[in-house]
């Protein structure tokens, strides 16, 4: 089964070997010989192989073919007849490994769907459908009414594929089996998915048309920043660009944030594009993910919509990449290989020679800076499309006001008025749980996590404590563990407590809490929103509510408890808060009725709020960019964060000290801050420290990392810690 290659030229020295990238944290390749005795050839690069490493069996990818470095090589079993990773994708992944200073084997393992990473064969991508047999056609008029009869009637016009049946006819499988037993219907392989009808969209307005005209899927790589207020019709622009891409016979990849990939969005894409739309997200099981990946690899999938890791989809016939909500934090992987899907999408777009469209109502400062410098074309949509008006924003000063569960009288009155007018209300609070702290009023004790430097959050109306950092849970104590007093009080307000207070006060309407606690199951959010429908009601939630499902009847958004975010030390905190506020506010008044936004704060004079409310997001972004430049932070500096952790504080400090010394020895000028304890020094029982590297020149930063990272693996200090390197960190903790 293995490819047989030319016999090596006599006298060429050592025999050729497969140089295999394995998913191990070592910056090197491993040599093997084909187990079947074939001669390695360059055409083997990209094939998966199963090998033994020590006592372990691993699946790796042939990354190179070259002379064996040692004799006595072990054999490797090829898993695919030809390369699985090749061309642009393999080259882009090699680039990613260099950029992240990560072992190629770990990068390739991250890029492959789990089933393929484990060595399972490529799935069968054939589409199956059902059609009536001759006997079925004859019998149809005489069939008794029921599900089999309804299915048979549905197949009268011709075969239908299983995905279409899933969408249209719940419970069809049992009916199909019943027909099959009687010889009336049979399962058949479908030749290519049939194109459906293409739905009509609205006529584009002038700005949308200009943006659509600027994106030329035939003109090679170009990065476009589609910067349009919420509801300005960015999705319409994506749909037009994708339709053009499809008409040219090319594939389109659309990245969306985890929470943005709703059934609503997929339905809109399917209806408007008239071709199957393949979804790739964390809710799929391993087989489904491998299947979607493989249909893309074979060019069968024409439109793929997926979350972060979908950026690794093979695109042999690429025509366009879209990144929706490009500012969204979920595009950055926060463990393992810390890649940024938006940034990697740009790298792939350049390598593929196709346009990349970044869309957002609140673009990241990086993308705005790129647009300002002319690296991205800046396409603006200033107004909401259709009927919708921008919401009116009001800052509610709550200093000295009597608050009820943190809610001011003005806010409660506005909620009542919105409900009475038949609208829906969103109360946004970025803290889940009942209360952030459990405090003893007698002695000042508060419940702390045993394994983290953090308070336990009160849950379940005060009965349970939970650490949001390590997940530890315990029942809340009845009496104070320190003084024995009975004056334990939940301090502060989380979404559970807001829900309780709002339900007590507005008993006539449903109050739904939407946060990670209440919507652990995928689809739970959708079904909760479906039960609410368009009826008056209150949604209480965290940033999960800032995007995703469209709520046309939402007329009031009340934002409470943003004050913590105004004074965070993190250099990105202002940007994140501004994006969140604008995105949440954008949920109000998406349809014909004008929306209202209330921002309740103790700091009505805070510059961030003033700039946002009076100048809008772009005024904020301009001011923030000036500050970033003055402070030497991205996008004016390039950062890398070296993190280390261990059970005790000394090994991380020693490791980072050694790393700092090696950086100094490299002779490359770089700002090195630390080693310092992480902002949360202890988490899940580990003591954490970090070294922040910064340079105004990306090139200098990477030169220093190139010089030092390979040696980190070999340092004796490295053996006593868990360490990781985060290039372009989003969070400095
Ligand atoms: P965004 O992606 O910018 O939030 P959408 O594309 O979802 O905006 O559009 C918001 C709403 O406006 C949708 O209901 C959409 O159908 C409608 N819409 C978009 N473009 C137009 C247009 N040119 N004319 C009328 N309605 C439009
Ligand atoms: Zn006490
Ligand atoms: Zn904890």
């Amino acid at each position: 089964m293995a490819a047989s290659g030319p016999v090596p030229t006599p006298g060429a020295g050592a025999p050729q070997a497969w140089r295999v990238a394995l998913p191990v944290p070592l910056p090197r390749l491993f040599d093997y010989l084909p187990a079947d005795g074939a001669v390695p050839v360059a055409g083997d690069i990209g094939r998966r192989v199963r090998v033994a490493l020590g006592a372990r069996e691993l699946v790796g990818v042939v990354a190179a073919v070259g002379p064996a470095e040692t004799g006595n090589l072990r054999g490797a079993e090829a898993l695919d007849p030809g390369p699985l990773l090749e061309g642009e994708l393999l080259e882009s992944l090699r680039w990613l490994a260099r950029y992240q200073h990560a072992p190629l084997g770990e990068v390739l393992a991250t890029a492959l769907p789990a089933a393929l990473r484990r060595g399972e064969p490529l799935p069968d991508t054939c589409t199956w459908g059902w059609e009536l047999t001759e006997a079925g056609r004859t019998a149809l008029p005489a069939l008794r009414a029921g599900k089999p009869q309804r299915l048979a009637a549905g197949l009268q016009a011709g075969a239908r594929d299983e995905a279409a049946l899933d969408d249209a006819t719940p419970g069809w499988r049992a009916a199909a089996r019943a027909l099959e037993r009687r010889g009336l219907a049979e399962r058949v392989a479908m030749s290519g998915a049939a194109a459906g009808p293409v739905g009509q969209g609205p006529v584009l307005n002038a700005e949308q048309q200009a943006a659509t005209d600027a994106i030329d899927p035939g003109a090679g790589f170009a990065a476009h920043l589609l910067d349009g207020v919420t509801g300005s019709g960015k999705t319409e622009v994506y749909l037009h660009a994708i339709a053009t891409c499809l008409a040219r016979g090319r594939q389109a990849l659309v990245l969306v944030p985890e929470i943005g990939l709703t059934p609503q969005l997929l339905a809109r894409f399917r209806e408007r594009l008239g071709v199957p739309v393949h979804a790739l997200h964390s809710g799929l099981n391993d087989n489904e993910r491998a299947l979607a990946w493989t249909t893309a690899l074979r060019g069968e999938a024409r439109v793929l919509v997926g979350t972060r890791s979908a950026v690794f989809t093979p695109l042999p016939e690429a025509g366009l990449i879209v990144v929706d909500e490009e500012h969204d934090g979920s595009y950055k992987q926060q463990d393992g290989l810390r890649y940024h899907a938006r940034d990697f999408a740009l790298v792939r777009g350049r390598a593929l020679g196709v346009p990349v469209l970044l869309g957002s109502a609140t673009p990241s400062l990086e993308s705005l800076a790129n647009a300002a410098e002319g690296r991205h074309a800046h396409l603006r949509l200033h107004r909401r499309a259709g009927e919708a008006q921008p919401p009116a924003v009001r800052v509610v000063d709550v200093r000295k006001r009597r608050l009820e569960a943190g809610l001011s009288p003005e806010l409660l009155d506005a909620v009542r008025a919105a409900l009475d007018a038949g609208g829906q209300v969103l109360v946004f609070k970025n803290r889940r749980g009942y209360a952030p702290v459990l405090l003893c009023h007698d002695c000042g004790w508060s419940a702390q996590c045993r394994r983290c430097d953090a308070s336990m959050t009160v849950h379940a109306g005060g009965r349970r404590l939970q650490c949001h950092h390590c997940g530890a849970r315990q029942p809340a104590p009845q009496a104070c563990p320190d003084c024995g007093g009975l004056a334990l009080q939940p301090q502060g307000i989380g979404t559970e407590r807001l829900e309780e207070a709002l339900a007590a006060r507005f008993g006539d309407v449903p109050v739904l809490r939407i946060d990670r606690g209440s919507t652990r199951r995928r689809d739970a959010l959708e079904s909760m929103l479906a039960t609410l429908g368009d009826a008056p009601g209150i949604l209480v939630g965290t940033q999960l509510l800032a995007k995703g499902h469209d709520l046309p009847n939402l007329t009031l958004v009340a934002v409470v408890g943003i004050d913590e975010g105004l004074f965070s030390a993190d250099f990105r905190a202002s940007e994140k808060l501004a994006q969140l506020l604008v995105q949440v506010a954008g949920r109000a008044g998406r349809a014909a009725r004008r929306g209202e936004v209330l921002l309740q704060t103790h700091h009505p004079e805070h510059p961030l709020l003033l700039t946002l409310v009076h100048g809008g997001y772009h005024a904020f972004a301009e001011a923030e960019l000036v500050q970033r430049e003055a402070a030497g932070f991205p996008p004016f500096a390039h950062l890398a964060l070296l993190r280390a952790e261990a059970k005790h504080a000394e090994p991380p400090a020693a490791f980072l000290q050694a790393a700092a010394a090696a950086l100094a020895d490299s002779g490359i000028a770089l700002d090195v801050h630390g080693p310092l304890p992480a902002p949360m020094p202890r988490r899940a029982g580990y003591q954490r420290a970090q070294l922040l590297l910064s340079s105004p020149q990306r090139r200098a930063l990477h030169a220093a990392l190139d010089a030092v990272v390979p040696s980190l693996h070999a340092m004796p200090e490295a053996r006593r810690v868990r360490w990781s390197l985060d290039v372009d960190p989003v969070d400095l903790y």
Side-chain angles (χ1 to χ4, degrees):
M1 179 194 247
S4 59
V7 179
T9 34
Q16 295 289 100
W18 277 342
R19 323 217 54 212
V20 178
L22 292 175
V24 292
L26 292 172
R28 49 167 290 206
L29 302 176
F30 298 82
D31 288 354
Y32 292 88
L33 291 174
D36 62 2
V39 176
V41 291
D44 294 336
I45 292 172
R47 292 174 79 180
R48 286 183 304 161
V49 294
R50 194 188 302 279
V51 304
L53 182 72
R56 282 199 296 166
E57 192 170 84
L58 295 171
V59 173
V61 174
V62 177
V65 168
E69 286 180 354
T70 55
N72 248 342
L73 294 184
R74 298 169 84 169
E77 176 203 347
L79 296 175
D80 308 297
L84 190 64
L85 289 171
E86 56 185 335
E88 173 276 331
L89 182 54
L90 182 58
E91 290 316 308
S92 292
L93 291 169
R94 288 189 204 271
W95 177 92
L96 185 60
R98 288 193 298 276
Y99 189 79
Q100 299 285 334
H101 303 270
L104 180 63
E106 292 200 325
V107 172
L108 300 186
T110 304
L112 284 175
L116 301 181
R117 193 188 311 152
R118 285 195 302 267
E120 285 171 27
L122 276 187
D124 174 11
T125 51
C126 172
T127 313
W128 292 94
W130 288 78
E131 74 182 7
L132 292 179
T133 59
E134 240 356 274
R137 286 187 189 285
T138 316
L140 180 59
L143 284 181
R144 264 187 297 123
K147 280 195 174 161
Q149 179 265 338
R150 278 202 296 284
L151 176 66
L155 297 176
Q156 199 175 5
R160 299 186 65 190
D161 75 59
E162 295 188 338
L165 290 169
D166 279 337
D167 282 353
T169 322
W172 67 270
R173 280 174 204 273
R177 276 193 298 276
L179 292 174
E180 190 180 30
R181 274 196 300 277
R182 294 161 61 190
L184 303 180
E186 61 188 356
R187 190 167 188 237
V188 291
M190 309 278 285
S191 57
V198 176
Q200 270 297 314
V203 177
L204 297 184
N205 63 34
E207 284 188 324
Q208 286 173 313
Q209 190 62 54
T212 306
D213 292 344
I215 303 156
D216 182 354
F221 170 72
H224 301 273
L225 177 61
L226 180 62
D227 178 350
V229 300
T230 36
S232 59
K234 295 184 291 298
T235 311
E236 289 300 322
V237 176
Y238 304 156
L239 285 167
H240 281 255
I242 296 166
T244 311
C245 162
L246 292 176
R248 296 184 65 249
R250 308 244 139 214
Q251 295 174 294
L253 172 67
V254 182
L255 300 181
V256 294
E258 187 71 47
I259 197 67
L261 187 50
T262 61
Q264 256 182 349
L265 177 103
L266 288 172
R268 187 169 168 194
F269 272 56
R270 290 195 172 112
E271 188 219 308
R272 291 288 299 285
L273 296 171
V275 297
V277 171
H278 296 256
L280 264 168
H281 55 78
S282 59
L284 300 181
N285 67 32
D286 286 356
N287 291 336
E288 292 167 324
R289 289 186 76 97
L291 183 63
W293 194 90
T294 310
T295 54
L297 176 73
R298 296 186 175 149
E300 291 160 10
R302 309 309 294 175
V303 181
L304 288 124
V305 182
T307 50
R308 182 176 60 230
S309 65
V311 75
F312 298 123
T313 308
L315 297 169
E317 295 165 26
L320 176 72
I321 302 178
V322 175
V323 184
D324 186 28
E325 308 288 1
E326 64 85 27
H327 67 279
D328 194 87
S330 75
Y331 286 127
K332 171 82 176 177
Q333 167 112 331
Q334 296 286 22
D335 51 29
L337 181 73
R338 292 164 187 258
Y339 66 94
H340 199 298
R342 175 199 60 217
D343 296 346
F344 192 52
L346 287 164
V347 169
R348 291 200 64 193
R350 185 183 289 279
L352 288 162
V354 304
V356 179
L357 182 53
L358 309 178
S360 178
T362 53
S364 62
L365 296 187
E366 275 82 356
S367 294
L368 285 172
N370 279 328
E373 284 162 29
R375 278 194 290 272
H376 297 355
H378 202 171
L379 312 174
R380 302 277 309 257
L381 306 179
H382 292 89
R383 274 169 298 282
R384 284 188 167 187
E387 303 290 291
Q389 300 256 316
V393 179
R394 185 149 61 94
V395 174
V396 180
D397 179 359
V398 291
R399 284 173 298 184
K400 301 192 187 154
R401 302 306 307 260
R402 234 187 72 80
L403 301 180
E404 188 182 317
L407 303 174
S408 62
E410 283 92 334
L411 192 147
L412 292 167
D413 288 347
V415 172
R416 182 78 267 167
L419 293 173
D420 288 347
Q424 294 175 343
V425 176
L426 190 166
V427 180
F428 174 83
K429 167 90 201 186
N430 216 5
R431 196 173 269 276
R432 79 199 158 81
Y434 187 79
V437 177
L438 183 67
L439 181 79
C440 172
H441 197 52
D442 288 347
C443 77
W445 173 89
S446 70
Q448 297 292 312
C449 179
R450 247 175 268 134
R451 307 168 65 219
C452 305
D453 292 321
S455 294
M456 299 285 276
T457 301
V458 185
H459 278 260
R463 294 188 303 282
R464 209 156 34 75
L465 298 176
Q466 189 183 325
C467 174
H468 285 187
H469 303 281
C470 70
R473 289 156 178 259
Q474 64 192 72
Q478 302 287 318
C480 173
D482 261 16
C483 74
L486 295 174
L488 291 176
Q489 293 177 355
Q491 292 289 303
I493 289 152
T495 48
E496 273 186 34
R497 195 171 196 173
L498 272 179
E499 175 192 19
E500 177 186 276
L502 288 162
R505 190 171 176 115
F506 301 100
D508 52 330
V509 297
V511 177
L512 302 181
R513 177 168 54 84
I514 295 186
D515 55 33
R516 264 196 295 141
S518 71
T519 57
R520 214 163 278 285
R521 233 172 38 81
R522 212 184 158 80
D523 306 339
L525 175 70
E526 292 295 325
S527 60
M528 278 173 87
L529 293 172
T531 49
L532 180 61
D534 283 341
I538 303 176
L539 302 168
V540 182
T542 58
Q543 73 235 38
L544 267 189
L545 272 178
K547 52 198 165 226
H549 196 104
D550 213 4
L551 300 161
N553 205 24
L554 188 67
T555 53
L556 174 66
V557 169
V559 180
V560 298
I562 48 162
D563 290 356
E564 300 97 332
L566 291 172
F567 301 100
S568 165
D570 186 38
F571 80 93
R572 242 180 252 273
S574 297
E575 179 184 357
K576 283 195 240 165
L577 181 61
Q579 289 165 343
L580 196 54
L581 288 176
V582 174
Q583 295 282 350
V584 177
R587 305 297 313 253
R590 295 272 311 224
R593 294 159 77 171
R594 178 143 205 216
E596 191 185 14
V597 179
L598 296 185
L599 294 179
Q600 183 183 285
T601 176
H602 284 93
H603 305 280
E605 261 43 325
H606 194 284
L608 184 147
L609 291 181
L610 288 180
T611 316
L612 259 188
V613 171
H614 299 292
Y617 181 77
H618 289 80
F620 156 79
E622 254 169 58
E624 187 67 14
L625 278 168
V626 170
Q627 293 201 11
R628 292 268 188 96
E629 183 156 28
F633 275 120
F636 305 98
H638 302 279
L639 306 182
L641 190 63
L642 185 61
R643 298 182 171 90
E645 58 179 31
K647 288 268 153 68
H648 301 285
E650 188 272 328
F655 168 74
L656 295 174
Q657 204 66 60
L663 282 163
D665 285 348
S666 78
I668 297 164
L670 206 63
D671 283 333
V672 178
H673 311 269
L676 287 168
M680 184 185 293
R682 197 168 49 103
R683 196 172 72 188
Y686 277 79
Q687 302 285 344
R688 310 154 69 230
Q690 58 194 35
L691 192 66
L692 180 63
L693 318 178
S694 161
S695 170
Q697 268 85 43
R698 203 189 283 281
R699 199 179 280 271
L701 177 69
H702 283 272
L705 292 172
D706 278 335
V708 169
V709 175
S711 68
L712 294 181
H713 292 273
M715 281 179 178
E717 291 88 348
R719 267 181 241 129
R720 299 161 60 214
V721 299
R722 300 200 297 216
W723 67 271
S724 64
L725 178 69
D726 190 350
V727 177
D728 302 336
V730 167
D731 293 307
L732 297 188
Y733 51 84

